[in-house]
Every structure is written in structure tokens, then in C-alpha cells.
Amino acid sequence: KLNFSLNFMIELQKHFLICYKMRILVVEDESTLNKTLLDGLSECGFQTDTSESYKDAEYYIGIRNYDLVLCDWMLEDGDGTDLIEVVKRKSPRTPVVILSAKDDKQSEITALKAGADDYIKKPFDFDVLVARLEARLRFGGTSVIRIDKLIIDPDEEKIIYKEKEIE
């Protein structure tokens, strides 16, 4: 029987976050901000995919597993809060953080009640954004386990070894 202290588990989790590049999907239709987020998050060590539309985001969510989705509320072809359901249906523990120019209390409440794990108002400080994303990643994320060339994905019911799925 294993008995780990809380401090040991926190240190192990920090090590995991450093060694494992967390994958984030950024959904932002304003191309300059999209590029800024991509560059900044990549510089912070995250693997980042970006989408400028609801339709493309839905596609990415369908084909990849993300540790976190960072999504603008008002997209040209859809409502970013509708993506929350798409993400949570595929991977219930994946955090969704909504970015929005809507700075009223009711919008924030609406997004959180729709299933968002956090709400960040634009304009935002990039360092604070990263700190909030890291906090979300500590308390959630996917259940995918990666050890060298072995990947175990309980949500997808897949085991992959050396890039080949094991039946």
C-alpha cells in the first residue's frame, strides 16, 4: 500500500507539468491576438494549436486530446460558450477557459454556468493569464498517461506503444 504525502504529490505534479508539454487549443478569431497567444504560450513551453473559427475548433477537438481549451466567447461563426459542451462531451475533465471582451458580471456568470472552468476579461495581462492556465492544469486536465513511448488514454479507451495502437 502506497502512502504519499501531499507535498510529495505536489512536487510530482510540478515535475510532470515541466516534463510533459501540455497541449492547449487556442480559439480566437482576432488574428493578431491569436498569433500573440500562440507565440507566448509556445514560449512558455506549451504545445499550442490555434483556430480562428468555431468550425475549425470543433474539428480540432474531434481529432485531438487537449489538456486545456482557451476560447474567445464571440467568434464570427459561432458562440465560444457552445464549444464548452463539445469539449466536455469528449473529455469531461478538460478545462475550458473563456476569454471575452464582455466585462459585465452576468456574462461571466453565464459562461461559468455553461461549464467554463474560468473566465478572463479582455484586455488581460499575459503573465496573469499563464498563471491562471497553469492553475487550471494543476486541478484538471485529461487523464492521458504518457511514459516514454507508452500512451494510455482512458477517455478514448486506447493504449498506444511506439506510435501503434494496441488492441
Side-chain angles (χ1 to χ4, degrees):
K1 186 175 180 179
L2 298 175
N3 184 13
F4 294 112
S5 72
L6 180 58
N7 288 337
F8 174 77
M9 293 304 289
I10 290 170
E11 288 305 312
L12 184 63
Q13 193 171 34
K14 284 180 188 175
H15 178 73
F16 179 75
L17 286 173
I18 292 167
C19 294
Y20 168 67
K21 285 192 166 202
M22 303 302 259
R23 182 181 288 275
I24 296 175
L25 174 62
V26 174
V27 186
E28 171 58 61
D29 61 351
E30 201 283 297
S31 58
T32 303
L33 180 54
N34 189 308
K35 175 92 170 88
T36 300
L37 289 167
L38 169 67
D39 293 345
L41 292 172
S42 296
E43 190 174 302
C44 289
F46 295 104
Q47 285 185 330
T48 309
D49 293 331
T50 63
S51 168
E52 293 186 9
S53 72
Y54 182 98
K55 183 179 176 184
D56 288 347
E58 201 171 30
Y59 170 76
Y60 276 120
I61 292 163
I63 64 166
R64 292 211 171 102
N65 290 314
Y66 290 97
D67 297 298
L68 185 139
V69 176
L70 178 62
C71 184
D72 184 20
W73 183 324
M74 297 178 287
L75 301 168
E76 288 184 22
D77 63 338
D79 188 324
T81 58
D82 291 339
L83 277 175
I84 296 168
E85 183 181 340
V86 175
V87 172
K88 299 295 184 175
R89 188 174 40 236
K90 181 178 181 205
S91 181
R93 291 193 305 247
T94 299
V96 179
V97 176
I98 295 293
L99 286 176
S100 183
K102 295 181 179 188
D103 62 358
D104 61 292
K105 178 172 83 170
Q106 191 54 49
S107 293
E108 189 169 354
I109 292 168
T110 299
L112 293 168
K113 284 189 174 186
D117 296 282
D118 202 353
Y119 186 92
I120 299 173
K121 297 172 189 170
K122 294 177 184 177
F124 54 86
D125 180 279
F126 185 77
D127 294 331
V128 172
L129 171 73
V130 170
R132 289 175 81 160
L133 296 182
E134 287 173 343
R136 282 288 145 212
L137 289 166
R138 280 194 304 270
F139 298 110
T142 63
S143 56
V144 175
I145 300 165
R146 298 171 192 263
I147 304 168
D148 294 324
K149 296 180 189 225
L150 175 68
I151 300 171
I152 301 170
D153 186 344
D155 295 334
E156 296 290 321
E157 297 179 357
K158 291 182 183 177
I159 298 174
I160 300 169
Y161 183 66
K162 294 184 180 178
E163 300 181 11
K164 293 186 181 172
E165 189 169 343
I166 298 171
E167 296 288 329

